[in-house]
Amino acid sequence: LFVKFFAAKGPVFCSGHDLKELSNEDDVKHHSQVFELCAEIMTLIQKLPVPVIAKVNGLATAAGCQLVASCDIAVASEKSQFATPGVNIGLFCSTPAVALGRSLPRKVALEMLFTGEPLSAHEALMHGLVSKVVPEDKLEEETMKISQKICESSKSVLALGKATFYRQIAQDLDTAYKITTKVMVDNLTLRDGQEGIEAFVQKRKPVWSH
């Protein structure tokens, strides 16, 4: 499989930063490094040429919630919850807000950020923070089912598609169509692009070069 995963064992998927790293004993330079590294990881997820799936079985808070929002796909168990509770301890979740504000409707994201109250797994699904919610005992099976389906496609085509999706989503409509029109043409020049079309016409399974 060429899909990447984020997963955890135990009742917490990810609780975010270690607050001991953010005490007054450390200087501003150290604090900057902590948040810059976190931002680098979150942006790297979208720059990776393979799909990244969050497999969530538990609580995801603050930067942990940001991590879920940053992944390409997120599958959650029914017991999972998602929150940005920084406001309650005097540290507003401003960096998680970047990912949340791009995944959720603005008013939902702001309610989470202003109150710190968690979303249930089904609320997260309804608002688009996660892709799918399943019973806990089906989480591994469903996550692997999605990843195996993805891996039936060409790795090179997926890489091109993922990069293009994130590039165009930040643009206005006309620019987005200009970008994607060119990419569709580029896609046809790929070996796997031609193989897929030929296989479809010939009614056979494609043999990807990846």
Side-chain angles (χ1 to χ4, degrees):
L1 296 177
F2 48 73
V3 174
K4 302 297 182 184
F5 300 93
F6 281 105
K9 293 181 179 179
V12 176
F13 170 76
C14 180
S15 57
H17 293 290
D18 180 355
L19 294 179
K20 293 176 183 177
E21 284 192 318
L22 305 176
S23 69
N24 274 336
E25 295 176 8
D26 296 308
D27 59 17
V28 171
K29 182 179 178 182
H30 173 76
H31 294 163
S32 295
Q33 288 172 340
V34 169
F35 292 115
E36 286 167 4
L37 178 59
C38 180
E40 186 179 338
I41 291 169
M42 299 301 169
T43 54
L44 181 61
I45 290 170
Q46 295 183 359
K47 292 176 183 176
L48 286 174
V50 296
V52 180
I53 301 177
K55 185 175 72 171
V56 187
N57 188 28
L59 185 63
T61 62
C65 189
Q66 179 185 4
L67 179 62
V68 175
S70 299
C71 287
D72 303 315
I73 295 172
V75 185
S77 69
E78 291 173 329
K79 76 174 189 180
S80 298
Q81 290 187 304
F82 306 86
T84 49
V87 67
N88 297 326
I89 59 165
L91 183 64
F92 198 88
C93 286
S94 293
T95 47
V98 174
L100 279 185
R102 286 161 170 74
S103 296
L104 293 166
R106 183 175 299 181
K107 289 178 175 59
V108 177
L110 285 171
E111 183 180 349
M112 289 182 71
L113 292 160
F114 289 160
T115 67
E117 288 297 303
L119 288 184
S120 69
H122 287 289
E123 287 172 327
L125 176 65
M126 178 174 67
H127 295 303
L129 181 59
V130 300
S131 317
K132 191 166 285 192
V133 174
V134 296
E136 184 178 4
D137 63 354
K138 298 289 185 184
L139 182 60
E140 176 70 20
E141 176 186 336
E142 188 60 35
T143 305
M144 292 309 296
K145 181 180 173 183
I146 293 170
S147 62
Q148 286 165 355
K149 180 60 180 174
I150 289 170
C151 291
E152 291 176 7
S153 298
S154 161
K155 185 176 180 180
S156 56
V157 170
L158 285 167
L160 179 64
K162 176 176 173 175
T164 304
F165 178 86
Y166 286 113
R167 185 180 165 205
Q168 64 82 24
I169 202 71
Q171 306 298 324
D172 63 80
L173 192 64
D174 288 341
T175 304
Y177 271 118
K178 286 177 183 175
I179 290 169
T180 53
T181 297
K182 182 181 183 304
V183 171
M184 292 291 284
V185 174
D186 293 341
N187 195 155
L188 287 171
T189 68
L190 292 178
R191 179 176 169 185
D192 281 351
Q194 286 300 310
E195 166 62 15
I197 292 172
E198 288 174 12
F200 179 81
V201 172
Q202 296 168 10
K203 297 182 179 179
R204 62 172 175 83
K205 287 192 72 171
V207 180
W208 304 124
S209 68
H210 299 299

